[in-house]
Coordinates of all heavy atoms in Angstrom, one line a residue:
M10 N 87.0 37.3 217.2 CA 87.8 36.6 216.4 C 87.6 35.0 216.5 O 87.4 34.4 215.4 CB 89.1 36.8 216.8 CG 90.3 36.3 216.0 SD 91.9 36.9 216.2 CE 92.3 36.8 218.0
F11 N 87.3 34.6 217.6 CA 87.0 33.1 217.9 C 85.6 32.9 217.2 O 85.4 31.8 216.6 CB 87.1 32.8 219.3 CG 87.3 31.2 219.5 CD1 88.6 30.8 219.8 CD2 86.3 30.4 219.4 CE1 89.0 29.5 219.8 CE2 86.6 29.0 219.6 CZ 87.9 28.6 219.8
L12 N 84.7 33.7 217.4 CA 83.3 33.5 216.9 C 83.4 33.4 215.4 O 82.6 32.7 214.7 CB 82.4 34.5 217.5 CG 82.1 34.3 219.0 CD1 81.1 35.3 219.4 CD2 81.5 32.9 219.3
S13 N 84.1 34.3 214.7 CA 84.1 34.3 213.3 C 84.8 33.0 212.9 O 84.2 32.5 211.9 CB 85.2 35.4 212.8 OG 84.6 36.8 213.2
A14 N 85.9 32.5 213.5 CA 86.4 31.2 213.1 C 85.4 30.0 213.4 O 85.3 29.1 212.5 CB 87.6 31.0 213.8
L15 N 84.6 30.3 214.5 CA 83.6 29.2 214.6 C 82.4 29.2 213.5 O 82.1 28.2 213.1 CB 83.0 29.6 215.9 CG 81.7 28.7 216.4 CD1 82.1 27.2 216.5 CD2 81.1 29.2 217.8
A16 N 82.1 30.4 213.1 CA 81.0 30.4 212.0 C 81.6 29.8 210.8 O 81.0 29.1 210.1 CB 80.8 31.9 211.7
R17 N 83.0 30.0 210.4 CA 83.5 29.4 209.2 C 83.6 27.9 209.4 O 83.3 27.1 208.5 CB 85.0 30.0 209.0 CG 85.0 31.4 208.4 CD 86.5 31.6 207.9 NE 87.5 31.3 208.9 CZ 87.8 32.3 209.8 NH1 87.3 33.5 209.9 NH2 88.8 32.0 210.7
S18 N 83.9 27.6 210.6 CA 83.9 26.1 210.9 C 82.6 25.4 210.7 O 82.5 24.3 210.1 CB 84.5 25.8 212.2 OG 84.6 24.3 212.6
I19 N 81.6 26.0 211.1 CA 80.2 25.5 210.9 C 79.8 25.6 209.5 O 79.3 24.5 209.0 CB 79.2 26.2 211.8 CG1 79.4 26.1 213.3 CG2 77.8 25.8 211.4 CD1 78.7 26.9 214.2
E20 N 80.1 26.5 208.8 CA 79.7 26.6 207.3 C 80.6 25.7 206.5 O 80.1 24.9 205.5 CB 79.8 28.0 206.9 CG 78.8 29.0 207.4 CD 79.1 30.4 207.1 OE1 79.9 30.7 206.2 OE2 78.5 31.2 207.7
D21 N 81.9 25.8 206.6 CA 82.9 24.9 205.8 C 83.3 23.5 206.4 O 83.7 22.8 205.5 CB 84.1 25.8 205.6 CG 83.9 27.1 204.9 OD1 82.7 27.3 204.3 OD2 84.7 28.1 205.2
G22 N 82.9 23.3 207.6 CA 83.4 22.0 208.2 C 84.7 21.9 208.8 O 85.0 21.0 209.4
A23 N 85.4 22.9 208.7 CA 86.8 23.1 209.3 C 87.2 24.6 209.3 O 86.9 25.4 208.4 CB 87.7 22.3 208.4
A24 N 88.0 24.8 210.4 CA 88.6 26.1 210.4 C 89.9 26.0 211.5 O 89.8 25.2 212.3 CB 87.6 27.2 211.0
S25 N 90.9 26.7 211.2 CA 92.1 26.7 212.0 C 91.8 27.7 213.3 O 90.8 28.5 213.2 CB 93.4 27.2 211.3 OG 93.1 28.5 210.8
C26 N 92.5 27.3 214.4 CA 92.3 28.1 215.6 C 92.7 29.6 215.4 O 93.9 29.7 215.0 CB 93.1 27.5 216.7 SG 93.1 28.3 218.3
P27 N 91.9 30.5 215.7 CA 92.4 31.9 215.6 C 93.3 32.3 216.8 O 93.9 33.3 216.7 CB 91.0 32.7 215.8 CG 90.1 31.8 216.5 CD 90.5 30.5 216.2
M28 N 93.4 31.5 217.8 CA 94.4 31.8 219.0 C 95.7 31.3 218.7 O 96.7 32.1 218.9 CB 93.8 31.1 220.2 CG 92.4 31.6 220.6 SD 91.9 33.3 220.5 CE 92.7 33.8 222.0
C29 N 95.9 30.0 218.2 CA 97.3 29.6 218.0 C 97.6 29.3 216.6 O 98.8 29.2 216.2 CB 97.5 28.3 218.8 SG 96.5 26.9 218.1
G30 N 96.6 29.3 215.8 CA 96.8 29.0 214.3 C 97.3 27.8 213.9 O 97.5 27.5 212.8
K31 N 97.4 26.9 214.9 CA 97.9 25.4 214.6 C 97.0 24.4 214.8 O 97.1 23.4 214.2 CB 99.2 25.3 215.5 CG 100.3 26.1 215.3 CD 101.4 25.9 216.2 CE 102.5 27.0 216.0 NZ 103.6 26.9 217.0
G32 N 96.0 24.6 215.5 CA 95.0 23.6 215.8 C 93.7 23.7 215.0 O 93.6 24.7 214.2
N33 N 92.9 22.8 215.1 CA 91.5 22.9 214.4 C 90.5 23.1 215.4 O 90.4 22.4 216.5 CB 91.2 21.5 213.7 CG 92.3 21.4 212.6 OD1 92.3 22.0 211.6 ND2 92.8 20.2 212.6
L34 N 89.4 23.7 215.0 CA 88.2 23.9 216.0 C 87.3 22.7 216.1 O 87.0 22.1 215.0 CB 87.4 25.2 215.6 CG 88.0 26.5 215.6 CD1 87.2 27.6 215.3 CD2 88.7 26.8 217.0
M35 N 87.0 22.3 217.2 CA 86.1 21.1 217.5 C 84.8 21.7 218.0 O 84.9 22.8 218.8 CB 86.9 20.2 218.5 CG 88.2 19.7 218.1 SD 88.3 19.0 216.6 CE 87.6 17.3 216.9
I36 N 83.8 21.2 217.6 CA 82.5 21.7 218.0 C 81.6 20.5 218.5 O 81.6 19.3 218.0 CB 81.7 22.3 216.8 CG1 82.5 23.4 216.1 CG2 80.3 22.7 217.2 CD1 81.9 23.8 214.9
H37 N 80.9 20.8 219.7 CA 80.2 19.8 220.3 C 78.9 20.4 220.7 O 78.8 21.3 221.5 CB 80.7 19.2 221.5 CG 80.0 18.1 222.1 ND1 79.2 18.3 223.2 CD2 79.7 16.7 221.8 CE1 78.7 17.1 223.6 NE2 79.0 16.2 222.6
Y38 N 77.7 20.1 220.1 CA 76.3 20.6 220.4 C 75.7 19.7 221.3 O 75.7 18.4 221.3 CB 75.5 20.6 219.1 CG 75.8 21.6 218.2 CD1 76.6 21.4 217.0 CD2 75.3 22.9 218.2 CE1 76.9 22.3 216.1 CE2 75.5 23.8 217.2 CZ 76.2 23.5 216.1 OH 76.4 24.5 215.1
V39 N 74.9 20.3 222.2 CA 74.0 19.6 223.2 C 72.6 20.3 223.0 O 72.6 21.4 223.2 CB 74.5 19.6 224.7 CG1 73.5 19.0 225.5 CG2 75.9 19.0 224.7
A40 N 71.6 19.4 222.8 CA 70.3 20.2 222.5 C 69.1 19.2 222.8 O 69.3 18.0 223.0 CB 70.2 20.5 221.1
D41 N 68.0 19.8 222.9 CA 66.7 19.2 223.0 C 66.5 18.4 221.6 O 66.5 19.1 220.6 CB 65.5 20.2 223.2 CG 64.2 19.4 223.3 OD1 63.9 18.8 224.2 OD2 63.5 19.7 222.2
P42 N 66.1 17.1 221.6 CA 65.9 16.4 220.4 C 64.8 16.9 219.6 O 64.8 16.8 218.3 CB 65.6 15.0 220.9 CG 66.2 14.9 222.2 CD 66.1 16.3 222.8
L43 N 63.7 17.4 220.2 CA 62.6 18.0 219.4 C 62.9 19.4 218.8 O 62.5 19.5 217.5 CB 61.3 18.0 220.3 CG 60.9 16.5 220.8 CD1 59.7 16.6 221.6 CD2 60.7 15.7 219.6
S44 N 63.2 20.3 219.6 CA 63.4 21.6 219.1 C 64.8 21.8 218.5 O 64.9 22.9 217.7 CB 63.2 22.6 220.2 OG 64.3 22.6 221.2
R45 N 65.8 21.0 218.7 CA 67.1 21.2 218.2 C 67.7 22.5 218.8 O 68.5 23.1 218.2 CB 67.2 21.0 216.8 CG 66.9 19.7 216.3 CD 66.9 19.5 214.8 NE 68.2 19.7 214.3 CZ 69.1 18.8 214.1 NH1 68.8 17.4 214.4 NH2 70.3 19.1 213.5
V46 N 67.3 23.0 220.0 CA 67.7 24.2 220.6 C 68.6 23.8 221.9 O 68.2 22.9 222.5 CB 66.7 25.3 220.9 CG1 67.3 26.3 221.8 CG2 66.1 25.7 219.6
G47 N 69.8 24.4 222.0 CA 70.5 24.0 223.2 C 71.8 25.0 223.2 O 71.8 26.1 223.1
Y48 N 73.0 24.3 223.5 CA 74.3 25.1 223.5 C 75.3 24.4 222.7 O 75.2 23.2 222.3 CB 74.6 25.3 225.0 CG 75.0 24.1 225.7 CD1 76.2 23.5 225.7 CD2 73.9 23.4 226.4 CE1 76.5 22.4 226.4 CE2 74.3 22.3 227.2 CZ 75.5 21.7 227.2 OH 75.8 20.7 228.0
L49 N 76.5 25.1 222.7 CA 77.6 24.4 221.9 C 78.9 24.9 222.6 O 78.9 25.9 223.3 CB 77.6 24.6 220.4 CG 78.2 26.1 219.8 CD1 79.6 26.1 220.0 CD2 77.6 26.2 218.5
D50 N 79.8 23.9 222.7 CA 81.1 24.1 223.0 C 82.0 24.1 221.9 O 81.9 23.1 221.0 CB 81.7 23.2 224.2 CG 80.9 23.4 225.5 OD1 81.1 24.5 226.0 OD2 80.2 22.5 225.9
A51 N 82.9 25.0 221.8 CA 83.9 25.0 220.6 C 85.3 25.2 221.1 O 85.5 26.1 222.0 CB 83.5 26.0 219.5
W52 N 86.3 24.5 220.8 CA 87.7 24.6 221.4 C 88.7 24.1 220.3 O 88.3 23.4 219.4 CB 87.8 23.8 222.6 CG 87.7 22.3 222.4 CD1 88.7 21.3 222.1 CD2 86.5 21.4 222.1 NE1 88.2 20.1 221.9 CE2 86.9 20.1 222.0 CE3 85.2 21.6 222.3 CZ2 86.0 19.1 221.7 CZ3 84.3 20.6 222.1 CH2 84.7 19.4 221.9
C53 N 89.9 24.6 220.6 CA 90.9 24.2 219.7 C 91.5 22.9 220.1 O 91.8 22.6 221.4 CB 92.0 25.3 219.6 SG 93.7 24.7 218.9
D54 N 91.8 21.9 219.1 CA 92.3 20.6 219.6 C 93.7 20.7 219.9 O 94.4 19.7 220.2 CB 92.0 19.6 218.5 CG 92.7 19.8 217.3 OD1 93.4 20.8 217.0 OD2 92.4 18.9 216.3
R55 N 94.3 21.8 219.8 CA 95.8 21.9 220.1 C 96.2 22.8 221.3 O 96.8 22.3 222.3 CB 96.5 22.5 219.0 CG 97.9 22.6 219.1 CD 98.8 22.0 218.1 NE 100.1 22.3 218.3 CZ 101.1 21.9 217.4 NH1 100.6 21.6 216.2 NH2 102.4 22.1 217.6
C56 N 95.7 24.0 221.4 CA 95.8 24.9 222.6 C 94.8 24.8 223.5 O 94.9 25.5 224.7 CB 96.1 26.3 222.1 SG 94.7 27.2 221.5
F57 N 93.7 24.2 223.4 CA 92.5 24.1 224.2 C 92.0 25.3 224.8 O 91.7 25.5 225.9 CB 92.9 23.1 225.5 CG 93.1 21.7 224.9 CD1 94.3 21.2 224.6 CD2 91.9 20.9 224.5 CE1 94.5 19.9 224.2 CE2 92.2 19.6 224.1 CZ 93.5 19.1 223.9
E58 N 91.9 26.3 223.9 CA 91.1 27.6 224.1 C 89.8 27.5 223.4 O 89.8 26.9 222.3 CB 91.9 28.9 223.8 CG 93.2 28.9 224.7 CD 93.7 30.3 224.7 OE1 93.1 31.2 224.4 OE2 95.0 30.3 224.9
G59 N 88.7 28.0 223.9 CA 87.3 28.0 223.2 C 86.5 28.8 223.8 O 86.6 29.8 224.6
V60 N 85.2 28.6 223.4 CA 84.0 29.4 223.8 C 82.8 28.4 224.0 O 82.8 27.3 223.6 CB 83.5 30.4 222.7 CG1 84.6 31.5 222.4 CG2 83.2 29.6 221.4
H61 N 81.9 29.0 224.8 CA 80.6 28.2 225.1 C 79.7 29.2 224.7 O 79.6 30.3 225.1 CB 80.6 28.0 226.7 CG 79.2 27.5 227.0 ND1 78.9 26.1 227.1 CD2 78.1 28.0 227.5 CE1 77.7 25.9 227.4 NE2 77.2 27.1 227.8
V62 N 78.7 28.8 223.8 CA 77.5 29.5 223.4 C 76.4 29.0 224.0 O 75.9 27.8 223.7 CB 77.5 29.6 221.9 CG1 76.4 30.5 221.4 CG2 78.8 30.1 221.2
S63 N 75.5 29.8 224.8 CA 74.5 29.1 225.5 C 73.1 29.0 224.9 O 72.3 28.3 225.5 CB 74.3 30.0 226.8 OG 74.0 31.3 226.5
R64 N 73.0 29.6 223.8 CA 71.6 29.2 223.2 C 71.9 29.4 221.6 O 72.1 30.3 220.9 CB 70.6 30.5 223.4 CG 69.3 30.3 222.9 CD 68.2 30.3 224.1 NE 66.9 30.2 223.3 CZ 66.1 29.3 223.6 NH1 66.4 28.3 224.4 NH2 64.9 29.3 222.9
V65 N 71.7 28.0 221.0 CA 71.9 27.9 219.6 C 70.8 27.0 219.1 O 70.4 26.1 219.8 CB 73.4 27.4 219.3 CG1 74.5 28.4 219.8 CG2 73.5 26.1 219.9
S66 N 70.5 27.1 217.8 CA 69.8 26.1 217.1 C 70.9 25.2 216.3 O 71.8 25.7 215.7 CB 68.9 26.7 216.0 OG 68.0 27.4 216.7
V67 N 70.7 23.9 216.5 CA 71.6 23.0 215.7 C 71.2 22.9 214.4 O 70.2 22.7 214.0 CB 71.6 21.6 216.4 CG1 72.5 20.7 215.7 CG2 71.8 21.5 217.9
P68 N 72.2 23.4 213.5 CA 71.9 23.4 212.0 C 71.4 21.9 211.5 O 72.0 20.9 212.0 CB 73.1 23.8 211.4 CG 74.0 24.5 212.4 CD 73.6 23.7 213.6
D69 N 70.6 21.8 210.4 CA 70.3 20.6 209.8 C 71.4 20.0 209.5 O 72.4 20.5 208.9 CB 69.4 20.8 208.7 CG 68.0 21.3 209.1 OD1 67.6 21.1 210.3 OD2 67.3 22.0 208.3
G70 N 71.4 18.6 209.6 CA 72.6 17.8 209.2 C 73.7 17.6 210.3 O 74.6 16.9 210.2
M71 N 73.7 18.5 211.3 CA 74.8 18.4 212.4 C 74.5 17.5 213.4 O 73.3 17.4 213.9 CB 75.0 19.8 213.0 CG 75.6 20.9 212.0 SD 77.2 20.5 211.4 CE 78.2 21.2 212.8
R72 N 75.4 16.7 213.9 CA 75.1 15.7 215.0 C 75.3 16.6 216.4 O 75.8 17.6 216.5 CB 76.3 14.8 215.0 CG 76.2 13.7 213.9 CD 77.4 12.9 213.9 NE 77.5 12.2 215.0 CZ 78.6 11.6 215.7 NH1 79.6 11.7 214.8 NH2 78.6 10.9 216.7
F73 N 74.4 16.0 217.3 CA 74.4 16.7 218.6 C 74.2 15.6 219.6 O 73.6 14.4 219.3 CB 73.3 17.8 218.6 CG 71.9 17.2 218.5 CD1 71.1 17.0 219.7 CD2 71.3 17.2 217.3 CE1 69.8 16.5 219.6 CE2 70.0 16.8 217.1 CZ 69.2 16.5 218.3
T74 N 74.4 16.0 220.9 CA 74.0 15.0 222.0 C 72.8 15.5 222.6 O 72.6 16.6 223.0 CB 75.2 15.1 223.0 OG1 76.4 14.6 222.4 CG2 74.9 14.2 224.3
P75 N 71.7 14.8 222.9 CA 70.5 15.1 223.7 C 70.9 15.6 225.1 O 71.7 14.9 225.7 CB 69.7 13.9 223.5 CG 70.2 13.1 222.4 CD 71.5 13.3 222.4
F76 N 70.2 16.5 225.6 CA 70.3 16.9 227.0 C 70.3 15.7 227.8 O 69.6 14.7 227.6 CB 69.2 17.8 227.4 CG 69.3 19.3 226.8 CD1 68.3 19.8 226.3 CD2 70.4 20.0 227.1 CE1 68.3 21.1 225.8 CE2 70.5 21.3 226.6 CZ 69.6 21.9 226.0
G77 N 71.1 15.6 228.9 CA 71.2 14.6 229.8 C 72.0 13.3 229.4 O 72.0 12.3 230.2
E78 N 72.5 13.2 228.3 CA 73.2 12.2 227.7 C 74.8 12.5 227.5 O 75.4 11.6 226.9 CB 72.7 11.6 226.3 CG 71.3 11.1 226.5 CD 70.7 10.6 225.3 OE1 71.5 10.2 224.3 OE2 69.5 10.2 225.3
C79 N 75.2 13.6 227.9 CA 76.6 14.0 227.9 C 77.3 13.1 228.8 O 76.9 12.8 229.9 CB 76.8 15.5 228.3 SG 76.4 16.6 226.9
E80 N 78.6 12.7 228.4 CA 79.4 11.8 229.1 C 80.6 12.7 229.4 O 81.2 13.5 228.7 CB 79.7 10.4 228.5 CG 78.5 9.6 228.3 CD 78.7 8.3 227.7 OE1 79.8 7.9 227.7 OE2 77.7 7.8 227.3
E81 N 81.4 12.3 230.6 CA 82.5 12.9 230.9 C 83.6 12.6 229.8 O 83.7 11.5 229.3 CB 83.1 12.4 232.2 CG 84.2 13.0 232.7 CD 84.6 12.7 234.1 OE1 83.8 12.2 234.9 OE2 85.8 12.8 234.4
G82 N 84.3 13.6 229.4 CA 85.3 13.3 228.3 C 84.7 13.8 226.8 O 85.5 13.7 225.8
D83 N 83.4 14.1 226.8 CA 82.9 14.5 225.5 C 83.4 15.8 225.1 O 83.7 16.0 224.0 CB 81.3 14.6 225.6 CG 80.5 13.3 225.5 OD1 81.2 12.3 225.2 OD2 79.4 13.3 225.7
V84 N 83.7 16.6 226.0 CA 84.3 17.9 225.8 C 85.5 18.0 226.8 O 85.4 17.9 228.1 CB 83.3 19.1 226.1 CG1 83.9 20.5 225.9 CG2 82.1 19.0 225.2
P85 N 86.6 18.4 226.3 CA 87.8 18.5 227.2 C 87.7 19.9 228.1 O 86.9 20.6 227.7 CB 88.9 18.6 226.2 CG 88.4 19.3 225.1 CD 86.9 18.7 224.9
N86 N 88.4 19.9 229.0 CA 88.6 21.1 230.0 C 89.3 22.2 229.1 O 90.6 22.0 229.0 CB 89.3 20.7 231.2 CG 89.1 21.9 232.2 OD1 88.4 22.8 232.0 ND2 90.0 21.8 233.2
Y87 N 88.7 23.1 228.5 CA 89.3 24.3 227.7 C 89.3 25.5 228.5 O 88.3 25.7 229.4 CB 88.8 24.2 226.4 CG 87.3 24.7 226.2 CD1 86.9 26.0 226.3 CD2 86.2 23.7 226.3 CE1 85.7 26.3 226.2 CE2 85.0 24.0 226.2 CZ 84.5 25.4 226.2 OH 83.3 25.8 226.1
T88 N 90.1 26.4 228.1 CA 90.2 27.8 228.6 C 89.2 28.7 227.8 O 89.3 28.7 226.5 CB 91.6 28.3 228.7 OG1 92.4 27.5 229.4 CG2 91.6 29.8 229.2
T89 N 88.2 29.3 228.5 CA 87.3 30.2 227.7 C 87.9 31.5 227.3 O 88.6 32.1 228.2 CB 86.1 30.4 228.6 OG1 85.4 29.1 229.1 CG2 85.0 31.3 227.8
V90 N 87.9 31.9 226.1 CA 88.3 33.2 225.7 C 87.2 34.1 225.5 O 85.9 33.7 225.4 CB 89.0 33.0 224.3 CG1 90.2 32.1 224.5 CG2 88.1 32.6 223.2
N91 N 87.4 35.3 225.6 CA 86.4 36.5 225.4 C 86.4 37.0 224.1 O 87.4 37.0 223.3 CB 86.6 37.6 226.3 CG 86.5 37.1 227.7 OD1 85.6 36.3 228.0 ND2 87.2 37.6 228.8

């Protein structure tokens, strides 16, 4: 359920949270600048439930943080859902 909402968010630019229905999904990519392969964290900005996807390609046009440049606070402490 969460991954379907995540896919909609990536394609459409926005999706509501499948857990609480009240928040918006936030996405943060971290990747290698050359290959654009890395991971992403996605969470609800209201209930702070989300997922970590460990191997993704950053789509063209999407912003990302290069490995080693993440700062504390870039991603909030969210509860991982299955």
